[in-house]
Structures are given as C-alpha cells and as structure tokens.
Amino acid sequence: MTLSEEDYIKTIYHLSEFNSKSVATNAIAEQMKTKPSSVTDMVKKLSEKSLVNYKKYQGVLLSEKGRLVALSIIRKHRLWEVFLVDKLNFSWDEVHVVAEQLEHIKSDALIDKLDAHLGYPKVDPHGDPIPNKDGVFTKSVKKLISELPVGSQGVCVGVNDSSAAFLKFLDKNKIALGDTFKIMEIEEFDGSVTISTRSGSIRISKQIATNLFLEIVDEE
Amino acid sequence: MTLSEEDYIKTIYHLSEFNSKSVATNAIAEQMKTKPSSVTDMVKKLSEKSLVNYKKYQGVLLSEKGRLVALSIIRKHRLWEVFLVDKLNFSWDEVHVVAEQLEHIKSDALIDKLDAHLGYPKVDPHGDPIPNKDGVFTKSVKKLISELPVGSQGVCVGVNDSSAAFLKFLDKNKIALGDTFKIMEIEEFDGSVTISTRSGSIRISKQIATNLFLEIVDEE
DNA sequence: AATTAGTTTTAGACAAAACTAAATAATTGT
DNA sequence: ACAATTATTTAGTTTTGTCTAAAACTAATT
Ligand SMILES: [Mn+2]
Ligand SMILES: [Mn+2]
Ligand SMILES: [Mn+2]
Ligand SMILES: [Mn+2]
C-alpha cells in the first residue's frame, strides 16, 4: 500500500465512522484537500484492490478488508501519539502532524514493541481508543456535553475536535482529560453550559460543549 | 526534499566518506539498486538544487549544503537506531531497515526531543558517531583489526559491515562492542588473526578482521 | 417534463522517479 | 594509435498521483 492509498482509506473510514452511509467523492476531496477528480481515480484503484465498494455516482464504502487496513493505520497513529506525549513530552496539540507521518512506517515488529514499551495503552492523548492488532477496540459509552441533561456528572474522556487550536484553548482554560464535571445549567438562548469543576464553576459556549466527551458516572 | 532525493544524498555521502574522489554514476546505481540512467537524471536534479557538484562524465561530489543534508539524515538514522535498541529492545541487526524509513520523518522538534530522551548518545548501536544538529561529530581514532600489528590492544568500538548477517555472526561468536581484544598472532598465509578476549583466545578470519574496529588502549 | 444547480466522472496533461535501448564519451590493452 | 571495452548520457516509456476543463449524471424546482 502506498502512503497516499493509506491516507485515502483512513479518510474514508473517518467519514463513515458515525453514519454508515456511503461517502461522497466531494467529502473525501474536501477532507484530503485534493480535487474530486483525483478522488475518483483513487477510489477506482482502491476498488480494484477490493478495499472499497464503489459504484459510479453512488459514493464509496470500505470493504471489510479496507476497514481492517484503516484500523491498522489508526492503531499506529494513536500509538505514536501516546509515545510522543508520554515519552517525548510533546503536548497533545502538537502530536497529530507528526503522527500523520509516523503512521506510515511499515514494520509489524516496530508497532508491537512500541505498544509493549508504552504499556499497551487503551486510548490516545485525545481520548480516542486504540485498536488492537486485529482491529478490535472498545467503543466507550461517552457523550458530548451538549447532549446531556442538567444534573449529569462524568469524567471528561475525550475531544471531538482535536485541532491544535481547540486543544490549546482547553489548556488555557485548565480543562483536561480526567477532570470530573457536573452540568449545572444549560442556557436556552445560546446553548452555553455551566459546568462545575473541582476548582469552581465555569461557563462554556455551545461550540465547546459539542466538542467535549464525558463518561457518565452517575445518571440522576 | 523528497524521500528519494534524501536517499541519493545519503548514498553519495557514504560513497565519498573515506576517499574524497568524485563518486561514479555506476557506483551510486549499484548501491541504490537502480540503473545508471536513473542516477544521471537524479544527479542533474540535485545539481540544479546545488546539493551536488556535477560535470558530465566526471562523477559527482556533495556540495557543503549537500553534506549538511546528508549529515542531518544520518543523524536521524542513527538516533532512531539507538531508540530501537535501547528503548524497544530490538537487536542491533534488525534496526537498519526500520531506521531507513524513520530517517525520513520531517520534524525538527521530534528529533531534538528524541535526542534528549535517549540522553544525547554519541554513537549508534554499531559504533558509528551521531552528528549533532550542526553536522559536527567526533571522528574517533579507531582502526580495523586487519590494520594493526601483533601486540595491539583495544576496545572493540565499531563494525565496518553492519549487515544483519555479519552482526548475527558476531552475536553467535560472543563478540560485542565494548569487549577488549589483544592481537596475539597474524597468520601470513590467509590473513586470519588470533585475538585474546576475556573468555579466552579465538581465531578470526581475515574477512572478520577487516570489519571490526578497535580503539587502541595501549600502543606497545 | 424541463430546467437548473450541484456532484461526479472522463479526458488529457504534468511532474517525479523509475525503466530499456541506443548513442556517445572515456579508458584500456595491444 | 586505435580498436575494444566500459561508463555515462540521451531519448523515449511507464507508473503513480496529481491537476484543469469539459462532459455526464442526480436531485431538486418549477
Ligand atoms: Mn498520513
Ligand atoms: Mn489522536
Ligand atoms: Mn531511507
Ligand atoms: Mn548504524
């Protein structure tokens, strides 16, 4: 598999991760910052290799084979992110671009030994699950703050947006994975949410609330 | 710089490392397992970018700029090798192929932090020096066993051939970097050498003697 | 049913890095 | 000195992944 093929497969996986509808050519092009015509060419090639199921004008979906390829690249990406943060002291907003390159290194032994060296982590620095060798991972029952009712309490376990800008915002506002939050009030008007933390109570905008995942501790 | 350009630059560096004569097209082709015509094309391109000095039919030499590029790739290659052996428990004969890929990862921050994480090593697992950020490294005064007279004593500090085959041979014969050897006898007929080690005396063939470096402790 | 806007595919071109085959330059042996 | 050999370059293709422009399709609106 070429680097380019791997990036396409991974993009298609992510675009169909939360809805099982077929992925549009334009969506792939936008995500990968290429042109739709380039996507068509590549999708044909991936289809030849049975990595995707593709019918003209009908969009594309990963085959089971393609899904496993995607998960193996995601596994590598996330393990490298853990390495960069835990061992090399990168901050969580810097690791994505580097992992984007490291995920393409081809060596099964390398990734096995890296996994062991890191103590077989289950999640990456952004709270995303790390698939095992066979592509199996536990999809945790986490919910966006914006989807929860007043009174919910939980541990912050992940981010929906893992752009450097958002992660830096969280750092600046002393919000980190592992923190426990309780939803105190939801403002009807603008969707902003008041949450209580160990160090007091803060107001977060709707945009923030739709990008932070909680794992519920006590439903009330 | 593309991956391919980087590999050419590195190859040219190594081919002119021990004699400052210009490097032949054929030599590069053989080393890189490509054809001479491909080398000519690439060398023209590198010349355009002032990474090499090239005149038709006259072979090629790295410019100062090219030399620095070569050393930065070699720095990355060797730091990754240290990482693989020291942190991930690879054996020294397995690391080269993986480092061949890792050396192309583009991130200055990554290599700085890796260097720090490893404790600023001065040599790689094969005894080869690791250049610093500015391409500076200490060329140690090591000599091949085959070049030394009877009575010389020194510490084994490097290998000339770092192929997996040779390194495995050394492991099997319990020869490792850091061992102290004394040259007891040189056989005129076949160039084989008898060396004494802590655990006794062994005979090594000329081929082995031309591939092991000693750092002399006591000239006698 | 026809028009239109938006999406997707086709066709043709390009750059990078390789190849083969043929031409040319350099070197070597007699 | 010159023919033979070897080394190197040129010319013309190939493959991969991209692009632009034009054509074809789909879906929504009249
Ligand atoms: Mn990538
Ligand atoms: Mn991540
Ligand atoms: Mn390489
Ligand atoms: Mn080495």
Side-chain angles (χ1 to χ4, degrees):
Chain A
M1 293 223 64
T2 68
L3 188 150
S4 202
E5 287 173 342
E6 290 186 350
D7 279 341
Y8 272 96
I9 290 287
K10 201 177 60 148
T11 296
I12 296 168
Y13 177 89
H14 281 131
L15 287 172
S16 58
E17 193 171 358
F18 297 116
N19 67 59
S20 55
K21 285 174 193 161
S22 77
V23 178
T25 304
N26 268 9
I28 299 171
E30 188 182 7
Q31 188 71 26
M32 306 217 27
K33 291 170 184 169
T34 62
K35 303 293 161 173
S37 55
S38 308
V39 173
T40 300
D41 284 350
M42 180 55 86
V43 151
K44 279 180 186 168
K45 205 204 319 181
L46 296 175
S47 178
E48 285 298 310
K49 299 189 178 183
S50 329
L51 290 162
V52 300
N53 297 115
Y54 166 67
K55 275 195 221 96
K56 270 192 188 184
Y57 296 103
Q58 301 305 126
V60 76
L61 265 183
L62 290 183
S63 67
E64 183 55 19
K65 188 175 157 194
R67 201 182 71 91
L68 290 174
V69 169
L71 287 170
S72 94
I73 301 162
I74 289 167
R75 168 174 163 78
K76 289 189 272 180
H77 184 105
R78 293 181 180 165
L79 283 172
W80 279 116
E81 286 189 342
V82 173
F83 168 72
L84 295 172
V85 168
D86 286 8
K87 302 294 183 181
L88 296 196
N89 296 115
F90 274 83
S91 63
W92 69 338
D93 58 285
E94 300 170 318
V95 296
H96 186 76
V97 273
V98 183
E100 203 57 47
Q101 295 180 64
L102 286 164
E103 70 189 1
H104 302 288
I105 301 290
K106 275 148 194 81
S107 166
D108 288 344
L110 173 60
I111 218 65
D112 287 352
K113 286 173 187 263
L114 182 64
D115 196 14
H117 180 56
L118 299 172
Y120 306 102
K122 290 276 169 294
V123 294
D124 84 359
H126 313 105
D128 294 313
I130 298 175
N132 74 7
K133 273 198 236 194
D134 303 316
V136 178
F137 63 95
T138 48
K139 200 188 280 180
S140 70
V141 280
K142 59 193 183 183
K143 291 216 160 178
L144 291 173
I145 290 182
S146 60
E147 292 170 337
L148 291 167
V150 169
S152 310
Q153 187 172 333
V155 178
C156 185
V157 293
V159 293
N160 196 20
D161 170 3
S162 55
S163 68
F166 181 54
L167 300 178
K168 278 183 179 152
F169 169 90
L170 295 179
D171 285 344
K172 204 174 74 182
N173 289 276
K174 304 261 186 289
I175 296 171
L177 299 196
D179 292 354
T180 299
F181 297 145
K182 184 168 183 178
I183 297 180
M184 306 307 284
E185 192 188 343
I186 300 170
E187 179 57 61
E188 285 291 322
F189 179 64
D190 65 355
S192 65
V193 181
T194 305
I195 57 178
S196 76
T197 71
R198 214 171 310 109
S199 58
S201 184
I202 56 171
R203 189 77 163 293
I204 59 175
S205 71
K206 182 169 188 174
Q207 197 189 338
I208 308 306
T210 56
N211 282 304
L212 279 177
F213 286 111
L214 294 195
E215 189 168 273
I216 301 312
V217 175
D218 255 353
E219 298 253 0
E220 291 180 275
Chain B
M1 296 224 62
T2 67
L3 188 149
S4 202
E5 287 173 341
E6 289 186 350
D7 279 342
Y8 272 96
I9 291 287
K10 202 178 56 148
T11 296
I12 294 168
Y13 177 89
H14 280 131
L15 287 172
S16 58
E17 194 171 359
F18 297 115
N19 66 60
S20 55
K21 285 175 195 161
S22 78
V23 178
T25 304
N26 269 9
I28 299 171
E30 188 183 7
Q31 189 70 26
M32 307 220 22
K33 290 170 184 171
T34 62
K35 302 293 161 175
S37 55
S38 309
V39 173
T40 300
D41 286 348
M42 180 56 88
V43 151
K44 279 180 186 168
K45 206 204 318 181
L46 296 175
S47 180
E48 285 298 310
K49 299 190 178 184
S50 329
L51 290 162
V52 301
N53 298 117
Y54 166 66
K55 277 196 221 95
K56 269 193 188 184
Y57 296 102
Q58 301 305 126
V60 76
L61 265 182
L62 291 183
S63 66
E64 183 54 19
K65 189 176 159 194
R67 203 183 68 93
L68 289 174
V69 169
L71 287 169
S72 94
I73 301 162
I74 289 167
R75 169 175 162 79
K76 290 187 274 181
H77 185 105
R78 292 180 181 165
L79 282 172
W80 279 116
E81 286 190 341
V82 173
F83 168 72
L84 295 172
V85 168
D86 286 8
K87 302 294 183 181
L88 297 197
N89 296 115
F90 274 83
S91 63
W92 69 338
D93 58 286
E94 300 170 317
V95 296
H96 185 75
V97 273
V98 183
E100 203 57 46
Q101 295 179 64
L102 286 163
E103 70 189 1
H104 301 289
I105 301 290
K106 274 146 195 82
S107 166
D108 288 344
L110 173 60
I111 217 67
D112 286 353
K113 286 173 186 263
L114 182 65
D115 196 14
H117 180 57
L118 299 173
Y120 306 103
K122 290 276 168 294
V123 294
D124 84 357
H126 314 106
D128 294 313
I130 298 175
N132 74 7
K133 273 200 235 192
D134 303 315
V136 178
F137 63 97
T138 50
K139 200 187 278 180
S140 70
V141 280
K142 58 192 185 183
K143 292 216 160 178
L144 291 174
I145 290 182
S146 59
E147 292 169 340
L148 291 167
V150 169
S152 310
Q153 186 171 334
V155 178
C156 185
V157 293
V159 294
N160 196 19
D161 169 4
S162 54
S163 69
F166 181 55
L167 300 177
K168 278 183 179 152
F169 169 89
L170 295 179
D171 286 343
K172 204 173 74 183
N173 290 275
K174 304 262 185 291
I175 296 171
L177 300 197
D179 292 354
T180 299
F181 297 145
K182 184 170 183 178
I183 298 180
M184 306 305 286
E185 192 187 344
I186 300 169
E187 178 58 60
E188 285 292 322
F189 180 65
D190 64 355
S192 64
V193 180
T194 306
I195 58 179
S196 77
T197 73
R198 213 171 310 111
S199 57
S201 185
I202 55 171
R203 190 76 162 294
I204 59 176
S205 71
K206 181 169 189 174
Q207 197 190 338
I208 307 307
T210 56
N211 281 304
L212 278 177
F213 286 110
L214 294 195
E215 189 169 272
I216 301 312
V217 175
D218 256 352
E219 295 255 0
E220 293 179 273

